[in-house]
Every structure is written in C-alpha cells, then in structure tokens.
Amino acid sequence: MPFAPLLRSFMLCCLVVLSALALAATQAQAQAQTPAAMPAQGERLAAGLERFKADSFADTEAAVAAIAAAGSAQGVAILSALADRRLFAGAAGVFYRDAAGQAFDALTGQPATIPADAAMVRLNNRLRNVVQAALGTMTLLSPDPAQRVRAAEAVFRSRDASALVTIEAALTSEQNPRVRRAFEEARAAILLASADAPEELLIAAARRIAEAGDNDAISLLRQFAGQTTGGLKAVIDQGIVSIEQAQRIRAWGQTLWFGISLGSVLLLAAIGLAITFGVMGVINMAHGEMVMIGAYVTFVVQELFRNHAPHLLDWSLPLAIPLAFITAGLVGIAIERGVIRFLYGRPLETLLATFGISLVLQQAIRTWFGPTNREVSAPSYMAGSFEFVGLQITYGRLWIVVFTLCVFAALLLVLKATPLGLQMRAVTQNRRMASAMGIRTRFVDAMTFGLGSGIAGVAGVALSQIDNVSPNLGQSYIIDSFMVVVFGGVGNLWGTLVAAFTLGIANKLLEPFAGAVLGKIIILVLLILFIQKRPRGLFALKGRAVEQ
Amino acid sequence: MGFTRRGVLSAALGGATALATGYRPAFAQGAPIKVGILHSLSGTMAISETTLKDVMLMLIEQQNAKGGLLGRKLEPVVVDPASNWPLFAEKARELISKEKVSSVFGCWTSVSRKSVLPVFKELNNILFYPVQYEGEESERNVFYTGAAPNQQAIPAVDYLMSKDGGEAKRWVLAGTDYVYPRTTNKILEAYLISKGVAPADIMINYTPFGHSDWQTIVSDIKKFGSAGKKTAVVSTINGDANVPFYKELGNQGIKATDIPVVAFSVGEEELAGIDTKPLLGHLAAWNYFQSVKDPANDAFIKAWKAYKKSDKAVTNDPMEAHVIGFNMWVKAVEKVGTVDIDKVIDALPGITAPNLTGGVSTMLANHHITKPVLIGEVRADGQFDVVWKTSGLVPGDAWTDHLPGSKDLEADWVTLKCGNYNTVLKKCG
C-alpha cells in the first residue's frame, strides 16, 4: 500500500494536535479551579443568585450577567433552568430543576427540595434574549455538537464581542462541519458588529454572512447596510441583492407548496361531499357538521388517552380515524334513513332539511361540549418544520397532504374495486335498471350517504390539527366544499381532486398581491364566470347518466 | 350566511334558559327589578358571550342574597340574540318594551352594539357594554365598561416600543376584516407615524372571519421581520382565527423572542380550549387578568368557580367589566333611590366601584371608565403572567387624539350634555 505511511503520519499529526489541545483545555480548567479563584467565584455566584429573589426584571438581568461572569460550574445549568421556567427563588435560596425534574440548590449544586414559598423566576422576551445570549457564550465549548450549534446561533444573534476569543480558539480545533459553519457565521456577525475591525476582515465577514443566505443573514446585512461606506457597503449591498434574488425564487416554490397544502385541505373537506352531493345528488348542507363530528371524535379519543394512557398520546390520532369514520358514517346513515330518503328528487326541500339538521347538530354539540374551543394537541410527529431545498415545510401540513391523497386513493378503490362501489355506481347511473338487477337500492343509498359522511368525519380528524375544534368548525368549510365539487364537475372524483388543487394554488398565488379577503373574492368571481361558460364544471360527466 | 334561520331556532332555546333560572326568596316589598341580559347563547359568538350571561346571573344572585336592591328583588331576564345582529335590536326592544327592564347588560361585537343603539335611544334605557372596542362613540344611553383604544391598544404599543418590550421599530398590524380592527389599526397607524415610525415599516394585513390558512401571511410576517429591525405584531385577529395563526407561527419557527405578538382579543377564555405551546411568551393587553393577585379578585374567582361548579372555570376581562358595571349601576340606583332611567343615567358619572386588580374605577362624564392597563405573557397553563402595568388608572377616551376627524371631539354628558362636542367649532354634533 503506497499511502499507508502517509496515512500513518497524518494520524500521528492529528494525535499530536489533539493531545496539545487536550493539554491546553485541562490547563485552562485547572486555572479556573485553583483554590484562589474558588471563593471569589462562589461569592460572585451567590451575589448573582441573591438578585433573583427581588422578582424584578432589572434585578434578574443583573443576576444573569453576574452568573455569566462568575463562570462557575453550575452557571449553565442555572441559566438553562431559567430559560426553561425551571428556576425558583425564595427566602431560603435559589433552586432549579434539571430537565428530568430533579431539584438542586443553585448555590451549592447539591440535590435539594424546593421550599413551598419559592416562586418561579419570571422572564420577559427581552430577558429571554439576554439569557440565550449568555448561555450561547457559555456553551460554545459544550461536548454536544447540537448544543454548540445552538450556542453559535445565539452568539450570531447577540454578537457578543466577548465570545470572539472563544470562537477563534474553537475554530482551530472544531471538526464537525455543521458546527464549523455556525461558528464561522457567528464570528462573521461579531466582526461585522465591531466597528474597529480592519476593512478586509469586515468584507470577508460580510461575504461569509451573505453565503449563509437565510432570513437571519439578510436581517443582519440590512441592519449594517445603512451604517457603512465604500467597499464594505458594496459587498453588503451585493449580498442583500443575491439573498433577495434567491428568496424570490424560493418564494415561488413556497407559494406553490402553500397552494398544494391549501388544496389538500379543500380536497379533504370536499371529498365526502363529492360522494353525497356529487354522486348521489343530495344538496347536503349538513356536510360541514359531519366534519365537525369527526373533529369532536378526535377530541374525545385524545381526552381518553390523556386521562388513561398519556404515554400513548401520539397514537390517539391514528385511532381516531376509524372511530371518526364510523361515528360520522352512522350519523350520516341515520340522517339518510330518517330524513333524506323522503326527499329524493326534491332539491329545495333537501337543502332546507339538511340546513336544519346542520343547525340541530351544531347546537347539540354546543350543549354537550360547550361553546368554547376544545383542545386537540398535535402529536409530536406533526409539530415543527424542516427545510427542503430552502423551502420551509411544516410537518403538520405535509402529513395532511399525504393523508388526503391516501383517503382519495382509498375512496377510488372502494368505488372501483368493491361490490358496494359497483352497486353505488349502478344505482346512481340508473336506479330502475339497478333495481331490476336485484340491487337493494335503498340499502345502497344509505351506504353511499354513510360513506360520504364517514369520509367527512375522517376529514375532521385532520382538520382538528389546523383549525379550532368548535361547534362552528363545519360552517367554515361548507361553502368551499361546494365550490370545489361544483368547479370540478359534479359526480367526478378526479374533477374534485383537480379542482381542489387548482383553487388552492390560485388562492395562494393571489393572496400575496390581493390580500386574503380580496383574493377570496376574486376566486369566487372567477368561479362564477367559469360556471357561466361551463355549467357542468371542469370534467362534466357525459352520457345517459347526465340526462337524469 | 344564514344567521336568521339559526336565530329563530335558538331564540326558543334562550327563552327556555330564561324560564329555568327564576327563583324566589322572600323580599320586603315591591315588584322585582328586572335586569336584561342580552348576550348570544348560540351561533358564532356564543363562544365568548355565554360566560357573560352566566356572570350576570351570578352577580344578580349575589345581590339578591345581600337583600336585593332598594329592598326589592332583582330578576334577570335572559334573551338570546343568537349572534344575529338585527336580532339584537329586536331582542333589545323586547327587553325594554315588553319586559320593562331597568337596565341591560349585553352585546359583544361592535356591530351588535350599533344595531341596538337606536332602540336604546328611542325607548330610553341603559346599556352596559363590557368589551374592549374601537372607541369613536359616546352615547347617553350606553356605558362603556370595556377598554377604549387608549386603554389597550396605545399602551400596548408603548410597551413594545419601550426597552423592556424589545424596542420594536417595525410593525405588523394584523386583524380580522371588520370595524374594530380597521378602526384600531387606523388609530395605531396614525400613532406610530406620530412616533416617528416610517410608513414603510408598517405592514397592515386583514383576513376574513375564521381564517384558518395562515401560511402565506406568517411567511410574509417572517420576511417583513428580516429587515434588520426589531419587529412586533399587533394582533386584532378575532377569536376563532387565532389558534391556527399561533399554530402556524410556531410551526414556521417564529418565537416570541424574535417577533412578539401582542393580541387584543385573546384572553383566558380563548386559551382555555387550546394547546398553549405555540403561544408561550406571546403577549396580550387587557385591563384584567385572572392571575392578578388581589383579595377582590381571589374572592371573585372563588365565587365564580363555585357558581360554575367547576375548578377549571376561568375569568376574563369582559367579565370584570360586567362586575364593575353592575356594581356601578347598583350604587347609582341606591344613590338616587329609584330605577328611573333618566335619574340613574345622570347619577352614574362620578360613581366609583373597585375593579378586581386592586384599584377603584370611576365612571367618567364621557360614559367610559378609568382602568389600569396590563400586559400579560401567555403561560403554559393558559393563564397570563403580568409583565408590565400602567402606574395608575387610565381614563377612557371616547374620541381618539390620533385621528384628524376625532381629535377635536369631546364627550361630556355632565356639563356639555353632548357625546361629540367639537371643541374647535364650539358646538355639539
């Protein structure tokens, strides 16, 4: 192997560097721990902690500064506890809980019990930033890379000049590319903020920040754009322009994603109606209330989990899906058997009757569950967001898009590949012929209505994640749902799909220019014009079925 | 859509509630004094107004336990206007002409108040209006116990501009598209510009009622906030649209420490039903918070929980406004010794009543009251931590000093006998 000696010498080199660093680190630590330094450190910490007891924001700020300056071992633990609302102060002293809930005395760092009179130390948003900045400077050398990145980000924001030395030193040894990048950006931010740095350093810093290319970077550059002159200003302006350009391109992608996501919500809300209204021709004003019932089922299921099996809370949503389908489906069947079957072929009466049912259902829910919103929390896998080629995509929305497409596929499968689906299509296309073939048309009617209602209930499970679970939930979707079904072409599931995404994307394209209110109006006007031209929607059914 | 049809149905339900709440302890003499309660118990506004009906019933019950008023029993008359604005006027007429009530406590939205105004003027009765509103109004028959803009919006903006509030330099005024947010934002915009904020640093955005898709707007706010200046959002977003708004903020990673949101319509009641995680650290401006430590407040919360038979029952700002309004009305009636409308209206200005945050509110000549202004921060338990508070009580100003049209107007029902006296032209109206 020709490169073996090379490799060996490289390894050796690494080892030397590493051990030198380790030595330096232990030396630094030994220095901090010398007996002479100890009492002063303890005193400073005690003086800092004392000020937490005053329960005033000014004192708390002074305490944070004192603790950060004291450099004692439990400083990081104290400040993290403060940031996470786990620090308590009372006459007997200052105490904190660690993330696991174990209580400690802040002064000694020994386990302790928190006395009853100790109150949580309060922060406001400004102080929270101060604490984050202090923590950032203190945790730059943390062994955990994720923590180092967070620390560097905090320093990027605070631009705390005192952190510069630590960052420079850390950069010489940092191996993790993510952490390196964060450190370099933080260093650039500090340099840019310090007026006395030489110009070439500033220019390099500005370039480095422009490369980062995110919101924080452009925010920082804009902040300094007005205060600089000459070569530096040119670099900053150029940086801003290039980030803006990238953002403009990303904005299109983002709008498209927002449109898809809104489209999936519209589709989800409308898909049940595509069955009850689209396939059966029932003008079902109570459709929104089926969605609401689904959302309330989710609430009840989640409440049961919360009370009896809190550790399984994340599973409440998947379990709510079949339950919501069954509940809303049964209500739907009851409505069909109880009211709608007497009104087939009389659209006006159906409209009024179903409208009445929707009011009854709303008020019933209001009486049972109260008029206020009910809490349905997001499971952990639906919270937060991630970056995808520069686009910010929230997990909740992504899951809803995926879920909607699954529901759509399942429904298609039911209609095309099951005996019930075959019978449904037969009955809706030619009721008398189907009856003559021995299909129990009444039963099929009930099942079809139940299927549409059940799917609306399933939609409610997903919508409980993005909207309020309240008796009014259904109302906000009924108009949109009819819009989608009519636009797509009554009786055509694919039409509903295309219509939902078209309306969603069109809405989101219009919103930045026209605003949410005007955007919606424009969409409605366009839709009316479209219906004038094509009364049967995008994909009109052809053939004999239409004539009935 | 269709408030009318829903109204017919739920009016019946409201009537049933009214019948169920009657009871009769022994009283010295005289027919009972009727008090009208005009709050929606069904429809979209039921979410907020139902508790106000309950708090009124509790206050009347307490007053009766103390021996009633002028030795007569108080009798609540509950009607349900069903979140239907024209129905508010009808129900108000019913309360005044048919039930002959001595005063009415009610309304939530400004449009419902505007709808009943002509009725109260025509039939001469008293309305106590308990909700923060956009101001620009002062009527002889109405007593405004909620906050005027200078008792909520302006101090909130002052706070955000202060050092502790983060010294915001760029502003997003986001609201639901109706009269209260539009007027408030107009006042705020004029105020911000008068404070030296450039128009380019103000972004105004309106959304429809119940807006649930906040993706574009939140991403716009984020972009607006990346101009290198501290940005804050002033939210006049109404009730139901708030939850998806805060969820989207949380999902897109906007933290209160980066871009704080101060809301004027989010209170304990609204937070009771939602996951507060995305809201932590965001702010609300009110004149009352349940978390305020004060003996009067503690007693009120205790009584309320007992009345609702629930330990989870929460109190909020408009409830406090009704408490103050009711106590002022009782005092005024006791002062003049009669429930005669004109005498009570004349007696009310100058009447004081303790508020629940440790101060004493006074009814002013312009029919608004003095209140403290508090800024609270959302806590994990759905309550608020008070992070800032005005040093004293702020007198409510009916006509804002920040809009050209209303700068010169003044309301004074004691000496000027006028709700919109023009101080330049020296005449009323």
Side-chain angles (χ1 to χ4, degrees):
Chain A
M1 296 286 172
F3 60 86
L6 211 89
L7 189 74
R8 199 176 316 134
S9 58
F10 174 69
M11 295 260 290
L12 204 73
C13 257
C14 283
L15 211 68
V16 169
V17 170
L18 274 179
S19 53
L21 278 172
L23 195 70
T26 34
Q27 264 171 356
Q29 218 159 31
Q31 240 164 26
Q33 297 295 332
T34 48
M38 276 299 277
Q41 200 182 73
E43 271 165 35
R44 272 187 293 177
L45 180 66
L49 289 175
E50 196 57 37
R51 304 200 71 165
F52 278 130
K53 296 178 186 170
D55 190 30
S56 94
F57 290 133
D59 280 294
T60 305
E61 185 174 10
V64 171
I67 290 168
S72 89
Q74 62 264 36
V76 173
I78 295 172
L79 292 189
S80 328
L82 177 61
D84 294 345
R85 301 158 205 257
R86 292 186 268 110
L87 189 74
F88 305 84
V94 180
F95 304 87
Y96 66 88
R97 285 185 201 285
D98 63 7
Q102 176 75 38
F104 295 93
D105 186 312
L107 187 57
T108 60
Q110 299 302 315
T113 46
I114 297 175
D117 72 322
M120 192 189 81
V121 180
R122 301 180 313 136
L123 292 179
N124 60 19
N125 286 326
R126 186 177 67 84
L127 284 184
R128 251 172 232 125
N129 281 328
V130 171
V131 174
Q132 284 311 333
L135 265 179
T137 311
M138 288 161 85
T139 52
L140 278 170
L141 299 177
S142 153
D144 173 16
Q147 172 87 52
R148 289 203 295 276
V149 171
R150 274 203 300 278
E153 280 166 359
V155 172
F156 182 91
R157 275 151 198 256
S158 71
R159 302 190 276 281
D160 175 8
S162 68
L164 189 59
V165 185
T166 323
I167 290 183
E168 298 275 13
L171 269 172
T172 57
S173 61
E174 185 60 62
Q175 302 293 327
N176 185 322
R178 256 186 74 218
V179 183
R180 267 200 88 82
R181 202 170 60 228
F183 274 5
E184 279 170 6
E185 283 166 16
R187 178 176 64 176
I190 298 175
L191 281 175
L192 206 55
S194 60
D196 48 355
E199 179 149 22
E200 66 268 21
L201 262 184
L202 287 176
I203 289 178
R207 288 223 171 90
R208 186 72 201 73
I209 289 169
E211 274 168 39
D214 55 5
N215 248 339
D216 287 336
I218 195 167
S219 173
L220 185 69
L221 289 180
R222 280 186 182 140
Q223 196 173 340
F224 290 107
Q227 308 167 7
T228 53
T229 49
L232 180 58
K233 185 170 169 52
V235 172
I236 290 183
D237 285 346
Q238 199 190 340
I240 293 176
V241 169
S242 73
I243 297 180
E244 273 174 350
Q245 232 157 22
Q247 274 184 341
R248 256 197 297 279
I249 297 167
R250 267 201 303 256
W252 281 103
Q254 193 90 42
T255 305
L256 192 70
W257 163 250
F258 289 163
I260 290 173
S261 142
L262 176 63
S264 72
V265 170
L266 289 176
L267 177 60
L268 199 55
I271 200 167
L273 195 71
I275 302 284
T276 53
F277 174 57
V279 176
M280 294 180 74
V282 173
I283 301 182
N284 180 16
M285 297 298 284
H287 170 73
E289 278 55 50
M290 299 298 140
V291 177
M292 174 192 75
I293 287 173
Y296 271 91
V297 169
T298 318
F299 161 70
V300 171
V301 169
Q302 207 173 63
E303 202 66 356
L304 287 176
F305 270 82
R306 193 168 289 145
N307 292 337
H308 299 293
H311 53 289
L312 295 175
L313 201 59
D314 275 359
W315 289 97
S316 58
L317 234 47
L319 193 79
I321 293 170
L323 287 174
F325 180 82
I326 293 168
T327 316
L330 287 178
V331 174
I333 290 173
I335 293 173
E336 201 276 343
R337 289 288 84 187
V339 180
I340 292 173
R341 71 171 162 140
F342 304 111
L343 301 169
Y344 281 123
R346 288 152 67 188
L348 263 182
E349 284 91 329
T350 318
L351 188 145
L352 282 178
T354 49
F355 189 71
I357 292 169
S358 87
L359 297 184
V360 170
L361 288 174
Q362 269 179 43
Q363 198 62 31
I365 292 283
R366 198 170 278 131
T367 313
W368 284 328
F369 291 93
T372 45
N373 291 333
R374 292 285 141 180
E375 175 178 349
V376 175
S377 59
S380 55
Y381 47 84
M382 285 185 81
S385 63
F386 65 98
E387 290 238 342
F388 174 71
V389 293
L391 301 185
Q392 192 159 42
I393 295 183
T394 52
Y395 282 108
R397 297 278 176 176
L398 183 66
W399 275 110
I400 288 177
V401 173
V402 172
F403 180 69
T404 308
L405 295 177
C406 289
V407 171
F408 184 79
L411 189 63
L412 270 188
L413 207 68
V414 167
L415 283 182
K416 301 271 162 166
T418 64
L420 182 70
L422 186 69
Q423 292 178 359
M424 278 180 198
R425 282 180 294 143
V427 170
T428 49
Q429 279 172 21
N430 193 327
R431 176 174 300 272
R432 292 177 64 189
M433 184 64 85
S435 179
M437 305 296 262
I439 294 174
R440 290 185 291 157
T441 58
R442 297 258 154 171
F443 173 77
V444 171
D445 283 339
M447 285 300 114
T448 314
F449 201 85
L451 177 69
S453 303
I455 295 224
V458 169
V461 178
L463 295 184
S464 74
Q465 287 303 310
I466 53 168
D467 211 331
N468 297 288
V469 180
S470 77
N472 309 323
L473 172 70
Q475 280 182 317
S476 35
Y477 291 100
I478 184 76
I479 305 248
D480 286 341
S481 303
F482 270 106
M483 221 160 78
V484 167
V485 175
V486 170
F487 179 47
V490 171
N492 189 324
L493 274 188
W494 285 103
T496 308
L497 178 87
V498 174
F501 284 109
T502 312
L503 286 178
I505 292 171
N507 208 329
K508 285 294 157 187
L509 283 177
L510 280 171
E511 206 178 299
F513 310 104
V517 181
L518 194 60
K520 225 169 170 165
I521 296 174
I522 296 177
I523 291 280
L524 275 170
V525 170
L526 289 179
L527 198 68
I528 291 169
L529 292 178
F530 178 83
I531 297 292
Q532 293 289 322
K533 230 26 211 157
R534 288 182 69 116
R536 289 188 192 281
L538 274 178
F539 301 92
L541 279 188
K542 293 182 186 73
R544 204 177 309 170
V546 181
E547 308 311 323
Q548 295 190 343
Chain B
M1 47 168 253
F3 281 132
T4 324
R5 284 170 216 148
R6 186 175 320 119
V8 176
L9 179 91
S10 29
L13 283 168
T17 327
L19 282 177
T21 47
Y23 68 102
R24 324 204 138 259
F27 282 91
Q29 45 146 347
I33 298 172
K34 286 187 176 178
V35 178
I37 301 173
L38 183 65
H39 283 300
S40 301
L41 310 177
S42 54
T44 45
M45 292 313 295
I47 180 171
S48 310
E49 293 191 62
T50 313
T51 40
L52 289 185
K53 178 227 29 170
D54 288 339
V55 86
M56 282 312 299
L57 292 180
M58 179 181 91
L59 290 171
I60 291 171
E61 196 181 293
Q62 284 176 348
Q63 188 66 30
N64 280 337
K66 280 190 264 177
L69 186 56
L70 307 177
R72 289 159 70 186
K73 183 173 97 84
L74 289 179
E75 184 185 309
V77 183
V78 181
V79 290
D80 177 16
S83 314
N84 174 350
W85 322 135
L87 194 61
F88 264 91
E90 262 172 64
K91 289 285 164 188
R93 189 171 290 277
E94 178 189 321
L95 281 175
I96 301 170
S97 348
K98 194 166 138 247
E99 299 287 349
K100 307 259 185 282
V101 296
S102 300
S103 66
V104 176
F105 291 77
C107 297
W108 182 288
T109 59
S110 286
V111 44
S112 68
R113 189 188 68 251
K114 296 272 186 205
S115 149
V116 300
L117 262 184
V119 179
F120 276 87
K121 280 205 264 192
E122 179 199 330
L123 302 175
N124 194 27
N125 209 299
I126 304 174
L127 172 70
F128 281 89
Y129 177 68
V131 183
Q132 101 280 12
Y133 83 122
E134 67 280 2
E136 307 298 287
E137 184 183 298
S138 176
E139 292 290 342
R140 180 171 173 273
N141 300 86
V142 184
F143 291 87
Y144 307 81
T145 50
N150 74 316
Q151 290 173 306
Q152 188 185 29
I154 301 272
V157 165
D158 282 338
Y159 170 72
L160 288 173
M161 282 198 278
S162 74
K163 181 165 168 259
D164 257 337
E167 293 169 285
K169 299 274 189 290
R170 236 164 125 79
W171 301 84
V172 179
L173 310 180
T176 302
D177 202 0
Y178 72 109
V179 55
Y180 165 65
R182 283 214 177 243
T183 316
T184 306
N185 286 344
K186 218 192 294 169
I187 294 171
L188 284 181
E189 192 186 5
Y191 181 69
L192 287 172
I193 287 171
S194 80
K195 287 276 169 183
V197 177
D201 283 336
I202 303 174
M203 165 178 156
I204 300 182
N205 183 290
Y206 292 106
T207 39
F209 269 100
H211 191 68
S212 62
D213 194 287
W214 288 93
Q215 301 180 90
T216 309
I217 291 158
V218 167
S219 112
D220 281 352
I221 290 176
K222 202 169 166 181
K223 213 170 124 209
F224 188 78
S226 66
K229 293 177 183 170
K230 177 77 185 177
T231 306
V233 179
V234 177
S235 153
T236 37
I237 297 165
N238 187 279
D240 264 10
N242 274 301
V243 178
F245 173 60
Y246 285 106
K247 271 189 190 167
E248 192 64 40
L249 281 178
N251 281 338
Q252 292 203 21
I254 298 183
K255 289 200 282 292
T257 44
D258 308 329
I259 302 180
V261 178
V262 58
F264 300 155
S265 308
V266 177
E268 290 86 348
E269 187 81 18
E270 284 76 16
L271 293 186
I274 61 168
D275 183 9
T276 47
K277 252 178 274 135
L279 284 83
L280 287 185
H282 286 300
L283 306 163
W286 289 105
N287 310 104
Y288 166 87
F289 286 111
Q290 185 180 346
S291 64
V292 171
K293 288 272 162 279
D294 182 76
N297 191 27
D298 293 345
F300 174 66
I301 294 169
K302 202 167 151 232
W304 174 244
K305 285 184 172 169
Y307 182 81
K308 291 291 277 184
K309 298 193 185 65
S310 159
D311 220 31
K312 283 187 188 163
V314 294
T315 58
N316 65 14
D317 182 275
M319 287 167 68
E320 191 224 15
H322 258 347
V323 172
I324 299 172
F326 181 75
N327 288 334
M328 284 180 167
W329 176 73
V330 167
K331 272 194 179 177
V333 170
E334 278 169 349
K335 188 176 157 196
V336 291
T338 164
V339 289
D340 181 83
I341 301 295
D342 289 327
K343 286 195 178 133
V344 175
I345 288 180
D346 289 341
L348 267 164
I351 293 279
T352 59
N355 55 42
L356 298 180
T357 52
V360 177
S361 291
T362 314
M363 178 59 74
L364 302 168
N366 62 5
H367 287 192
H368 290 63
I369 67 172
T370 58
K371 312 185 109 187
V373 185
L374 291 75
I375 308 280
E377 204 183 82
V378 179
R379 282 197 320 222
D381 61 355
Q383 291 289 328
F384 292 86
D385 243 346
V386 176
V387 291
W388 183 83
K389 158 175 198 180
T390 48
S391 51
L393 300 191
V394 181
D397 187 11
W399 300 97
T400 180
D401 301 334
H402 305 289
L403 288 182
S406 45
K407 204 159 50 193
D408 306 327
L409 296 182
E410 200 183 320
D412 185 340
W413 291 103
V414 178
T415 48
L416 299 173
K417 303 273 179 211
C418 176
N420 52 357
Y421 182 82
N422 192 317
T423 49
V424 177
L425 304 174
K426 303 259 181 255
K427 66 172 194 185
C428 188

